[in-house]
Amino acid sequence: MKRWAALALVLALCALMPKSAFGQQSEPRGRKAGALGHNYPNPFNPETWLSFSVGDEGCAEPGRLYRVTVRIYNVLAQPVGIPLLEAPTETGATSSGNAGQPLVNLMLTCGAYTARWDGKFMNTGREVASGVYLWELVIDGRRIGARKMLVAK
């Protein structure tokens, strides 16, 4: 009986919490800073490609630069990797001069992109263990979202 009461209390508290308490940010309509795609292949071994887009739909401001970061985390929320930017997937998205650079505070223009993660722990050459990992997209200091991926060996 106590378990049911505890469950009911937790559910009631969750219903009363504001959205921001769950880490969700409400985005003003028409001002989307980017979007996450999927990683492929998933599950993967030893490397995967992450697709994402920067800027609003239709690229209303094509010359605007966005500060983009992509990080890989384990299930304990510990950073384990930084993917490298691949060549742009759309013409005009950015110059290929950014290709091969780590995606940490990288200035990118509006468009679709692909990043590659080699499955190595923070560029040490050591492969990460099999398991579930998360990749996160941050644009201009705002977390756009995160997705799960699976390393299978």
Side-chain angles (χ1 to χ4, degrees), residues 17 27 35 44 53-54 71 77 82 95 100 113 116 126 139-140 147:
M17 292 181 110
E27 187 101 19
F44 68 95
S53 65
V54 175
R71 290 188 185 100
I82 304 289
S95 67
Y113 294 90
R116 184 183 69 84
R126 266 187 350 199
I139 299 177
D140 290 339
R147 290 210 188 264

PDB file of all heavy atoms in Angstrom, residues 17 27 35 44 53-54 71 77 82 95 100 113 116 126 139-140 147:
ATOM      1  N   MET A  17       5.081  20.061 -11.863  1.00  0.00           N
ATOM      2  CA  MET A  17       6.347  20.711 -12.176  1.00  0.00           C
ATOM      3  C   MET A  17       6.251  21.456 -13.502  1.00  0.00           C
ATOM      4  O   MET A  17       5.628  20.977 -14.437  1.00  0.00           O
ATOM      5  CB  MET A  17       7.470  19.681 -12.265  1.00  0.00           C
ATOM      6  CG  MET A  17       7.804  19.055 -10.944  1.00  0.00           C
ATOM      7  SD  MET A  17       9.145  17.902 -11.144  1.00  0.00           S
ATOM      8  CE  MET A  17      10.406  18.780 -10.305  1.00  0.00           C
ATOM      9  N   GLU A  27      10.470  26.901 -27.278  1.00  0.00           N
ATOM     10  CA  GLU A  27      11.085  27.673 -28.349  1.00  0.00           C
ATOM     11  C   GLU A  27      10.049  28.616 -28.934  1.00  0.00           C
ATOM     12  O   GLU A  27       8.936  28.200 -29.215  1.00  0.00           O
ATOM     13  CB  GLU A  27      11.554  26.679 -29.411  1.00  0.00           C
ATOM     14  CG  GLU A  27      12.338  27.279 -30.502  1.00  0.00           C
ATOM     15  CD  GLU A  27      13.814  27.066 -30.321  1.00  0.00           C
ATOM     16  OE1 GLU A  27      14.238  26.196 -29.593  1.00  0.00           O
ATOM     17  OE2 GLU A  27      14.536  27.836 -30.945  1.00  0.00           O
ATOM     18  N   ALA A  35      18.303  21.316 -35.661  1.00  0.00           N
ATOM     19  CA  ALA A  35      17.616  20.054 -35.401  1.00  0.00           C
ATOM     20  C   ALA A  35      18.603  18.899 -35.455  1.00  0.00           C
ATOM     21  O   ALA A  35      19.602  18.950 -36.173  1.00  0.00           O
ATOM     22  CB  ALA A  35      16.509  19.843 -36.423  1.00  0.00           C
ATOM     23  N   PHE A  44      26.557   0.649 -33.877  1.00  0.00           N
ATOM     24  CA  PHE A  44      27.754   0.804 -34.693  1.00  0.00           C
ATOM     25  C   PHE A  44      28.981   0.238 -34.003  1.00  0.00           C
ATOM     26  O   PHE A  44      29.003   0.018 -32.808  1.00  0.00           O
ATOM     27  CB  PHE A  44      27.984   2.276 -35.033  1.00  0.00           C
ATOM     28  CG  PHE A  44      28.353   3.128 -33.848  1.00  0.00           C
ATOM     29  CD1 PHE A  44      29.669   3.389 -33.546  1.00  0.00           C
ATOM     30  CD2 PHE A  44      27.371   3.677 -33.043  1.00  0.00           C
ATOM     31  CE1 PHE A  44      30.010   4.182 -32.466  1.00  0.00           C
ATOM     32  CE2 PHE A  44      27.696   4.473 -31.968  1.00  0.00           C
ATOM     33  CZ  PHE A  44      29.013   4.725 -31.671  1.00  0.00           C
ATOM     34  N   SER A  53      21.174  19.745 -38.355  1.00  0.00           N
ATOM     35  CA  SER A  53      21.049  20.962 -39.153  1.00  0.00           C
ATOM     36  C   SER A  53      21.190  22.171 -38.241  1.00  0.00           C
ATOM     37  O   SER A  53      20.903  22.107 -37.051  1.00  0.00           O
ATOM     38  CB  SER A  53      19.715  21.001 -39.899  1.00  0.00           C
ATOM     39  OG  SER A  53      18.648  21.078 -38.989  1.00  0.00           O
ATOM     40  N   VAL A  54      21.629  23.261 -38.837  1.00  0.00           N
ATOM     41  CA  VAL A  54      21.857  24.511 -38.124  1.00  0.00           C
ATOM     42  C   VAL A  54      20.996  25.584 -38.775  1.00  0.00           C
ATOM     43  O   VAL A  54      20.917  25.666 -39.994  1.00  0.00           O
ATOM     44  CB  VAL A  54      23.348  24.907 -38.188  1.00  0.00           C
ATOM     45  CG1 VAL A  54      23.582  26.257 -37.550  1.00  0.00           C
ATOM     46  CG2 VAL A  54      24.206  23.839 -37.537  1.00  0.00           C
ATOM     47  N   ARG A  71      28.614  16.944 -28.519  1.00  0.00           N
ATOM     48  CA  ARG A  71      29.364  16.138 -27.546  1.00  0.00           C
ATOM     49  C   ARG A  71      28.743  14.762 -27.421  1.00  0.00           C
ATOM     50  O   ARG A  71      27.533  14.596 -27.564  1.00  0.00           O
ATOM     51  CB  ARG A  71      29.362  16.804 -26.172  1.00  0.00           C
ATOM     52  CG  ARG A  71      30.165  18.055 -26.096  1.00  0.00           C
ATOM     53  CD  ARG A  71      30.253  18.540 -24.642  1.00  0.00           C
ATOM     54  NE  ARG A  71      30.929  19.810 -24.573  1.00  0.00           N
ATOM     55  CZ  ARG A  71      30.320  20.980 -24.460  1.00  0.00           C
ATOM     56  NH1 ARG A  71      29.017  21.051 -24.407  1.00  0.00           N
ATOM     57  NH2 ARG A  71      31.014  22.098 -24.399  1.00  0.00           N
ATOM     58  N   ALA A  77      26.413  10.565 -17.848  1.00  0.00           N
ATOM     59  CA  ALA A  77      26.535  11.967 -18.252  1.00  0.00           C
ATOM     60  C   ALA A  77      27.978  12.463 -18.206  1.00  0.00           C
ATOM     61  O   ALA A  77      28.229  13.645 -18.016  1.00  0.00           O
ATOM     62  CB  ALA A  77      25.626  12.864 -17.428  1.00  0.00           C
ATOM     63  N   ILE A  82      34.258  13.905 -28.757  1.00  0.00           N
ATOM     64  CA  ILE A  82      33.874  15.064 -29.566  1.00  0.00           C
ATOM     65  C   ILE A  82      34.010  14.627 -31.020  1.00  0.00           C
ATOM     66  O   ILE A  82      35.108  14.289 -31.472  1.00  0.00           O
ATOM     67  CB  ILE A  82      34.804  16.275 -29.317  1.00  0.00           C
ATOM     68  CG1 ILE A  82      34.853  16.659 -27.840  1.00  0.00           C
ATOM     69  CG2 ILE A  82      34.408  17.435 -30.203  1.00  0.00           C
ATOM     70  CD1 ILE A  82      33.598  17.277 -27.303  1.00  0.00           C
ATOM     71  N   SER A  95      31.951  26.669 -45.926  1.00  0.00           N
ATOM     72  CA  SER A  95      33.129  26.303 -46.700  1.00  0.00           C
ATOM     73  C   SER A  95      33.683  25.003 -46.137  1.00  0.00           C
ATOM     74  O   SER A  95      33.525  24.691 -44.969  1.00  0.00           O
ATOM     75  CB  SER A  95      34.179  27.409 -46.605  1.00  0.00           C
ATOM     76  OG  SER A  95      34.672  27.493 -45.291  1.00  0.00           O
ATOM     77  N   GLY A 100      36.811  18.372 -40.760  1.00  0.00           N
ATOM     78  CA  GLY A 100      37.881  17.740 -39.999  1.00  0.00           C
ATOM     79  C   GLY A 100      38.152  18.373 -38.645  1.00  0.00           C
ATOM     80  O   GLY A 100      38.946  17.861 -37.871  1.00  0.00           O
ATOM     81  N   TYR A 113      24.477  19.298 -41.861  1.00  0.00           N
ATOM     82  CA  TYR A 113      25.848  18.865 -41.631  1.00  0.00           C
ATOM     83  C   TYR A 113      25.894  17.414 -41.184  1.00  0.00           C
ATOM     84  O   TYR A 113      24.902  16.864 -40.724  1.00  0.00           O
ATOM     85  CB  TYR A 113      26.510  19.725 -40.542  1.00  0.00           C
ATOM     86  CG  TYR A 113      26.691  21.160 -40.948  1.00  0.00           C
ATOM     87  CD1 TYR A 113      25.701  22.100 -40.681  1.00  0.00           C
ATOM     88  CD2 TYR A 113      27.838  21.576 -41.595  1.00  0.00           C
ATOM     89  CE1 TYR A 113      25.854  23.422 -41.050  1.00  0.00           C
ATOM     90  CE2 TYR A 113      28.003  22.905 -41.971  1.00  0.00           C
ATOM     91  CZ  TYR A 113      27.006  23.811 -41.697  1.00  0.00           C
ATOM     92  OH  TYR A 113      27.165  25.108 -42.067  1.00  0.00           O
ATOM     93  N   ARG A 116      31.478  12.964 -37.729  1.00  0.00           N
ATOM     94  CA  ARG A 116      31.918  11.572 -37.585  1.00  0.00           C
ATOM     95  C   ARG A 116      32.568  11.385 -36.232  1.00  0.00           C
ATOM     96  O   ARG A 116      33.418  12.179 -35.825  1.00  0.00           O
ATOM     97  CB  ARG A 116      32.919  11.212 -38.683  1.00  0.00           C
ATOM     98  CG  ARG A 116      33.356   9.745 -38.645  1.00  0.00           C
ATOM     99  CD  ARG A 116      34.395   9.441 -39.701  1.00  0.00           C
ATOM    100  NE  ARG A 116      35.666  10.095 -39.417  1.00  0.00           N
ATOM    101  CZ  ARG A 116      36.596   9.597 -38.594  1.00  0.00           C
ATOM    102  NH1 ARG A 116      36.393   8.464 -37.964  1.00  0.00           N
ATOM    103  NH2 ARG A 116      37.718  10.246 -38.400  1.00  0.00           N
ATOM    104  N   ARG A 126      41.872   4.986 -27.345  1.00  0.00           N
ATOM    105  CA  ARG A 126      41.187   3.874 -26.683  1.00  0.00           C
ATOM    106  C   ARG A 126      39.740   3.829 -27.130  1.00  0.00           C
ATOM    107  O   ARG A 126      39.048   4.843 -27.077  1.00  0.00           O
ATOM    108  CB  ARG A 126      41.184   4.077 -25.169  1.00  0.00           C
ATOM    109  CG  ARG A 126      42.271   3.445 -24.433  1.00  0.00           C
ATOM    110  CD  ARG A 126      42.048   3.585 -22.945  1.00  0.00           C
ATOM    111  NE  ARG A 126      40.946   4.515 -22.634  1.00  0.00           N
ATOM    112  CZ  ARG A 126      40.758   5.089 -21.478  1.00  0.00           C
ATOM    113  NH1 ARG A 126      41.572   4.855 -20.504  1.00  0.00           N
ATOM    114  NH2 ARG A 126      39.755   5.896 -21.266  1.00  0.00           N
ATOM    115  N   ILE A 139      23.520  24.776 -29.846  1.00  0.00           N
ATOM    116  CA  ILE A 139      23.703  25.871 -30.796  1.00  0.00           C
ATOM    117  C   ILE A 139      23.524  27.189 -30.055  1.00  0.00           C
ATOM    118  O   ILE A 139      22.504  27.398 -29.403  1.00  0.00           O
ATOM    119  CB  ILE A 139      22.716  25.768 -31.968  1.00  0.00           C
ATOM    120  CG1 ILE A 139      22.953  24.458 -32.735  1.00  0.00           C
ATOM    121  CG2 ILE A 139      22.857  26.972 -32.897  1.00  0.00           C
ATOM    122  CD1 ILE A 139      21.982  24.213 -33.859  1.00  0.00           C
ATOM    123  N   ASP A 140      24.518  28.038 -30.159  1.00  0.00           N
ATOM    124  CA  ASP A 140      24.519  29.339 -29.483  1.00  0.00           C
ATOM    125  C   ASP A 140      24.214  29.212 -27.993  1.00  0.00           C
ATOM    126  O   ASP A 140      23.454  29.986 -27.424  1.00  0.00           O
ATOM    127  CB  ASP A 140      23.532  30.306 -30.149  1.00  0.00           C
ATOM    128  CG  ASP A 140      24.006  30.758 -31.521  1.00  0.00           C
ATOM    129  OD1 ASP A 140      25.220  30.672 -31.784  1.00  0.00           O
ATOM    130  OD2 ASP A 140      23.163  31.206 -32.323  1.00  0.00           O
ATOM    131  N   ARG A 147      20.249  12.461 -28.565  1.00  0.00           N
ATOM    132  CA  ARG A 147      19.752  11.176 -29.068  1.00  0.00           C
ATOM    133  C   ARG A 147      20.644  10.055 -28.535  1.00  0.00           C
ATOM    134  O   ARG A 147      21.815  10.243 -28.265  1.00  0.00           O
ATOM    135  CB  ARG A 147      19.785  11.148 -30.582  1.00  0.00           C
ATOM    136  CG  ARG A 147      18.783  12.053 -31.224  1.00  0.00           C
ATOM    137  CD  ARG A 147      18.354  11.479 -32.546  1.00  0.00           C
ATOM    138  NE  ARG A 147      17.540  12.408 -33.277  1.00  0.00           N
ATOM    139  CZ  ARG A 147      16.212  12.397 -33.263  1.00  0.00           C
ATOM    140  NH1 ARG A 147      15.573  11.503 -32.565  1.00  0.00           N
ATOM    141  NH2 ARG A 147      15.531  13.264 -33.967  1.00  0.00           N
TER     142      ARG A 147
END
